[in-house]
Amino acid sequence: SAGSALEGLLIGLSDVAEQADQELGPGVEESKLISHTVRVNVFRSIEFLLTYSEPLRALVKSGNLEIQGGIYHLETGRVEFLGHAPTQAEVLASDFTLPPSVKGLPVRTTTDGPMPSMEALQILKDGNKRFVTGEALAGNVTNGMRKALVKEGQAPHTA
């Protein structure tokens, strides 16, 4: 478990480095491993966007948007274009899911009444604490919850 938001991000990057290491195998030069790790991270970022953003996924599926990876090289000022994520077709075919950071949060629609201010404040404080400590919120968002949000509209607990 991460002790801070930065540590949580670094833990995520360790998975990227591990994937790059597995793909290249043992004995690879450090510079090649670093370069490949950057590429893996670019593609993972694209996959994250397409997995957790229904509007972006819909635009890509319809052909109205392309998301392609790129690496900006500080030394030369040039951008190396990488193209689409290798798993793009698979990700586009998957079902929409909510990002891990919001799973399990209370779902409020416009049919819910006002939330007491102290309860809303506690939800915000709890969220800030999870962010600072890098803790993910475990839970399950059902299709019924998603449909309620589409049908009734979202009603944030604070405004």
Side-chain angles (χ1 to χ4, degrees):
S1 168
S4 68
L6 176 59
E7 192 174 339
L9 292 172
L10 293 175
I11 288 170
L13 287 175
S14 69
D15 292 341
V16 169
E18 186 176 317
Q19 177 183 337
D21 184 54
Q22 288 176 356
E23 289 176 358
L24 294 180
V28 68
E29 286 180 34
E30 183 178 338
S31 62
K32 288 183 180 179
L33 178 60
I34 291 169
S35 178
H36 189 64
T37 301
V38 170
R39 284 172 171 66
V40 170
N41 190 50
V42 168
F43 290 133
R44 283 257 188 117
S45 298
I46 293 170
E47 291 164 3
F48 185 89
L49 289 171
L50 291 174
T51 299
Y52 298 120
S53 175
E54 181 61 30
L56 287 178
R57 186 170 44 238
L59 287 168
V60 171
K61 280 182 177 180
S62 70
N64 290 317
L65 175 70
E66 284 193 25
I67 298 179
Q68 300 203 12
I71 299 170
Y72 176 72
H73 294 276
L74 291 172
E75 309 83 26
T76 63
R78 294 188 177 262
V79 176
E80 176 185 356
F81 291 98
L82 304 176
H84 300 111
T87 60
Q88 178 171 305
E90 179 183 328
V91 172
L92 291 175
S94 68
D95 289 331
F96 170 70
T97 59
L98 293 174
S101 60
V102 297
K103 284 185 177 181
L105 289 175
V107 175
R108 294 181 46 79
T109 69
T110 55
T111 60
D112 293 317
M115 177 178 279
S117 59
M118 294 310 292
E119 186 178 340
L121 179 61
Q122 189 59 52
I123 289 172
L124 291 172
K125 285 182 176 180
D126 292 345
N128 288 343
K129 181 180 177 187
R130 283 191 307 275
F131 177 79
V132 169
T133 61
E135 292 178 34
L137 192 71
N140 218 358
V141 176
T142 66
N143 283 335
M145 291 173 171
R146 290 188 189 112
K147 288 177 184 175
L149 288 174
V150 169
K151 182 180 176 191
E152 306 295 338
Q154 183 180 11
H157 51 78
T158 57

